[in-house]
Amino acid sequence: MSVIPRGEPAGLDDTDDPRRWWALVIIALAQLMVVLDATIVNIAMPSAQRALGISDGNRQWMITAYTVAFGGLLLLGGRIADLAGRRRTFVAGLAGFAAASALGGAATTSGMLFGARALQGAFAAVLAPSALSLLTTTFTRPGERGRAFGVYGALAGSGSAIGLLAGGLLTEYLNWRWCLYVNVPIAVCAVVGGLVLLPAGPRHPGARLDVPGALLGCGGLVTLVYGFSEAEPRGWTDPLVLALFAAGAALLGAFVWWQARAPQPLLPLHIVRDRDRAGCFVTMTLAVIGMFGLFLFLTYYLQVVLGYSPLRTGLGYLPLTATIVVCSTQISARLLPRVAPRLLIVPGLLLAAGGMAILTRITVDSDYTTAILPGLVLLGLGMGLTFMPVFATATADVAPRDSGVTSATVNTSQQVGGSIGTALLNTIATSSATAYLAAHLPDPARRPLVVREGVVHGYTVAIWWAAGVMLLAGLVAWVTVRAAAPAHGTRGTPLSRDVRRP
């Protein structure tokens, strides 16, 4: 049984209200929208670039404007959810996200599109922690919690691939603007469902927002994520990139110092002092580094090297998406109540690393069925085993008043990991391709083929690095995540370390 502190209303689960499963549909729908929007624009980028006259140097902002705002503002969004009430911030985040999406779809200039993407990220930073904390407080029993987090983990793991598939379909049959417009009807449905089905939740009118903490934490994360985004076009030794890293580290250091002294901290440090939870945060960051980098390379490989259309490229990710969903809902969700989380997470990361190792065999004329499909299926199995127990363990045993900021920290791990993975692995791929070309271009007649071989060589080197990062994530999970199975162990019991009774 999970203990709710005095003064906090119980979630829907405690009243056995059957509407809680419909509430899960609404929460999952909102989370899917947020996750897939990080990648749905990828396949549409060439079309949007031509339509709005965006330069090659600036096209990255179609992606990074979203991820910088999202990753940098998540902690603030999580604390706002705790103070103002989770349903209120959930609905407000959905409404703002829909408006920003409509603005981006109607963009007539590059600045208008980049600004709309940044607004999407800001509202996503309010929406995502509200969605996860609603899930945490609505489903408190181990069996039902496992099934609910199975669905959530499936969407978190497959959302990026679903975004690539949706982007291909919309770009091929409509146009790039619908990659943004599609969010409007989804958000409207989620708003109506949220108002009808979700519990209002508590407010804390006497509590105050930690303004210095918000400025330091959000400023540090925005600066750090911005530094990683600029490392891709500028290089890791560029003075601006180094200055951004130094400033981000200094701001985050000052943030930690202040959180230990603030009367009402933005991120209570007992949340990250928990060994299992901290291990899940680091594991999530490392796993997403590898996964996002792979999506980037594989998308360009399929379209540029093999000549796939946007639709065919999106369909190429369908086996990965299906495998993640099935594994999360039918394997992880059923095993987690009886199995220690790390016994799912570590094998999952090993499978994911194995899938990436298979993908390093790609060549300029590889066959999808033999060279790509097996790797995607293994990666899907691994991510399906990993994401669900990471989310469930990271948010277990958190007092309801801290569930928003804890959920925000999990999502921050994802966004920071995605930004690092895109910049780090893209830099490795580019430098490896350049070195290959320098060594293999003695004969000008072979130049077109060698250029393609060099590009693929860069991808395979970067994928090997991604596989190594996955193995490192598995090692971190094995060493740090010691929680027992929810049905047998200490997490979720009345002796929770993080549930402080007034």
Side-chain angles (χ1 to χ4, degrees):
M1 185 177 85
S2 180
V3 174
I4 305 295
R6 289 192 298 269
E8 300 279 11
L12 282 172
D13 182 57
D14 295 298
T15 62
D16 287 326
D17 190 331
R19 293 184 307 161
R20 66 191 182 280
W21 294 106
W22 286 107
L24 174 62
V25 173
I26 299 303
I27 294 168
L29 190 65
Q31 176 64 17
L32 176 62
M33 183 178 68
V34 168
V35 175
L36 66 81
D37 243 72
T39 57
I40 193 172
V41 178
N42 278 25
I43 294 179
M45 281 176 66
S47 300
Q49 185 178 359
R50 289 191 298 269
L52 300 182
I54 301 172
S55 68
D56 288 344
N58 288 331
R59 64 185 176 184
Q60 63 158 327
W61 286 106
M62 283 186 268
I63 304 298
T64 53
Y66 180 81
T67 59
V68 166
F70 191 5
L73 298 174
L74 268 166
L75 281 179
L76 180 61
R79 184 47 82 190
I80 290 173
D82 289 331
L83 299 182
R86 288 175 285 276
R87 188 179 72 174
R88 295 177 184 88
T89 52
F90 181 81
V91 171
L94 282 168
F97 197 92
S101 299
L103 179 65
T108 56
T109 65
S110 60
M112 185 175 174
L113 177 59
F114 299 158
R117 290 288 285 166
L119 276 176
Q120 278 186 306
F123 282 108
V126 174
L127 174 59
S130 301
L132 184 52
S133 60
L134 279 165
L135 188 70
T136 302
T137 55
T138 298
F139 296 92
T140 56
R141 298 173 183 172
E144 292 187 342
R145 182 180 174 89
R147 290 195 293 275
F149 272 90
V151 173
Y152 190 91
L155 294 176
S158 64
S160 298
I162 293 173
L164 294 168
L165 173 59
L169 287 168
L170 293 170
T171 303
E172 184 101 353
Y173 292 110
L174 295 172
N175 61 53
W176 67 269
R177 297 181 183 276
W178 280 96
C179 292
L180 296 163
Y181 284 144
V182 71
N183 294 315
V184 177
I186 296 174
V188 169
C189 293
V191 165
V192 173
L195 291 172
V196 173
L197 297 169
L198 296 175
R203 295 183 66 183
H204 303 277
R208 295 180 179 275
L209 187 65
D210 175 19
V211 176
L215 293 175
L216 291 171
C218 296
L221 286 173
V222 167
T223 304
L224 192 64
V225 173
Y226 180 46
F228 277 109
S229 70
E230 286 297 301
E232 180 181 347
R234 294 174 177 269
W236 293 95
T237 58
D238 183 83
L240 175 61
V241 173
L242 295 176
L244 288 169
F245 286 155
L251 287 169
L252 291 176
F255 170 75
V256 174
W257 174 84
W258 173 251
Q259 294 308 283
R261 292 158 178 79
Q264 294 179 335
L266 182 68
L267 176 61
L269 293 184
H270 66 261
I271 290 174
V272 293
R273 287 194 186 111
D274 181 284
R275 176 174 176 169
D276 296 316
R277 189 168 296 119
C280 287
F281 294 154
V282 177
T283 299
M284 175 64 74
T285 301
L286 293 171
V288 174
I289 285 176
M291 191 174 72
F292 264 57
L294 176 67
F295 286 160
L296 176 69
F297 304 132
L298 199 56
T299 298
Y300 275 92
Y301 172 74
L302 293 173
Q303 288 197 65
V304 176
V305 178
L306 298 187
Y308 283 21
S309 68
L311 175 59
R312 191 178 179 189
T313 299
L315 291 174
Y317 285 99
L318 193 58
L320 171 67
T321 304
T323 307
I324 292 176
V325 171
V326 171
C327 189
S328 294
T329 57
Q330 302 303 314
I331 299 177
S332 291
R334 294 175 185 272
L335 291 179
L336 185 61
R338 302 173 180 83
V339 176
R342 70 171 180 164
L343 297 182
L344 295 174
I345 297 170
V346 175
L349 292 167
L350 292 176
L351 284 173
M356 289 183 171
I358 291 175
L359 291 170
T360 61
R361 301 183 304 168
I362 58 174
T363 65
V364 294
D365 55 359
S366 290
D367 179 70
Y368 174 87
T369 305
T370 58
I372 299 172
L373 181 59
L376 290 181
V377 171
L378 269 184
L379 180 64
L381 287 171
M383 291 296 94
L385 287 174
T386 299
F387 277 102
M388 180 266 175
V390 166
F391 277 114
T393 305
T395 56
D397 293 344
V398 177
R401 63 179 175 272
D402 289 333
S403 63
V405 71
T406 305
S407 304
T409 308
V410 181
N411 281 282
T412 299
S413 300
Q414 280 186 285
Q415 294 305 313
V416 172
S419 298
I420 294 173
T422 301
L424 172 64
L425 297 177
N426 190 64
T427 302
I428 291 172
T430 303
S431 60
S432 299
T434 302
Y436 184 93
L437 292 176
H440 293 81
L441 272 181
D443 182 6
R446 296 188 67 247
R447 183 178 180 86
L449 177 60
V450 172
V451 168
R452 294 173 67 208
E453 290 175 344
V455 170
V456 175
H457 173 75
Y459 292 164
T460 58
V461 171
I463 294 171
W464 273 120
W465 276 87
V469 173
M470 284 288 184
L471 293 176
L472 178 59
L475 177 62
V476 169
W478 181 260
V479 171
T480 60
V481 181
R482 296 289 181 171
H488 307 125
T490 59
R491 301 186 77 77
T493 69
L495 300 178
S496 169
R497 290 174 295 229
D498 289 339
V499 176
R500 308 283 199 265
R501 287 193 176 278

